Amino acid sequence: MSPDRTVAYVLPVYDEAENVAAFHRALAAATDERPDLRFEFVYVDDGSGDDSLDRLLELRHDDPRVTVLALSRNFGHQVAVTAGLDAATGADAVIVMDTDLQDPPGVSLELIRVWEKGVDVVYAQRRTRQDGPFKRATAYLFYWLLARLASIDIPRNVGDFRLMDARVVAEVVRYREHDRFLRGIVANVGFRQEAVLFDRDARHAGTTGYPLRKMLAFATSGILGFSTLPLRLISRLGLAISAASVAAACYVLWVRLFVPGQAVPGGPSSASGCSCWAGCS
Ligand code: UDP
Ligand code: MG
């Protein structure tokens, strides 16, 4: 009997030359346990500076289920995953996972089992993680801030390792903003969503592709994309500045009309000089 359901894996790769072969072996071994399903592996090389692309083309040569997309430069993990989702829209379900073996391939089979019970989004939630103290502290702070600021409920300790039913993928790919925060977008589209707990392993080899600069940009996209607080703060600040300007103008007018002896010659124009810097041509 030939498999009638297809599960596609979207696999972002940035400088993982030492990892992709071991990762693919582990993923192929795990998925071999499900001969009743058809699998596709969409690797997205996100402008790697090492030999990742060559290693991926070797995988493609040996395994016809592999597709390789090569981005023209490093666009970042979220854009790489989106490119993979765009390419995987024919599948019945899509699993997104990292290619450094931090997300164990065996767990993806648990995600599939929960999907088969009728759940549309199955996200892998970290019960434990092997990251260093800096990564743990910044991740904790980020999730704490997001929980307080975001207008939607974004689950804690959940990265992008998740399964999405084809209906969910069809909605997610309609969001086209450049500064993307995929886990917020997925939380936002609704459907039936459930967690599977897992223990996150240490990186197989190499170093993280998420230095502090990228982490901050990512956290900013999450907060700006899913919280109205920054906008509300800016508009309140604008209102406060306008109110202070009107009060100052009334004071100047009052002095000029009722206590002209105290009026400082040229005072109003030098006071309004500040706004003129911005407004006068
Ligand atoms: N990655 C990517 N583009 C980037 C940075 C990372 O595609 O600019 C990939 C990377 O190869 C890995 C996944 O995204 O498969 C997660 O990145 P990483 O392991 O460096 O992040 P961490 O696990 O340290 O948060
Ligand atoms: Mg990693």
Side-chain angles (χ1 to χ4, degrees), residues 246-264 268:
V246 170
C250 291
Y251 173 72
V252 168
L253 203 64
W254 183 79
V255 169
R256 192 164 177 96
L257 291 178
F258 299 110
V259 270
Q262 279 183 23
V264 181

Side-chain angles (χ1 to χ4, degrees), residues 16 98 100 102 131 200 203 208-209:
E16 306 283 12
D98 294 353
D100 56 1
Q102 283 201 275
D131 296 309
R200 194 166 202 237
R203 193 170 236 288
T208 177

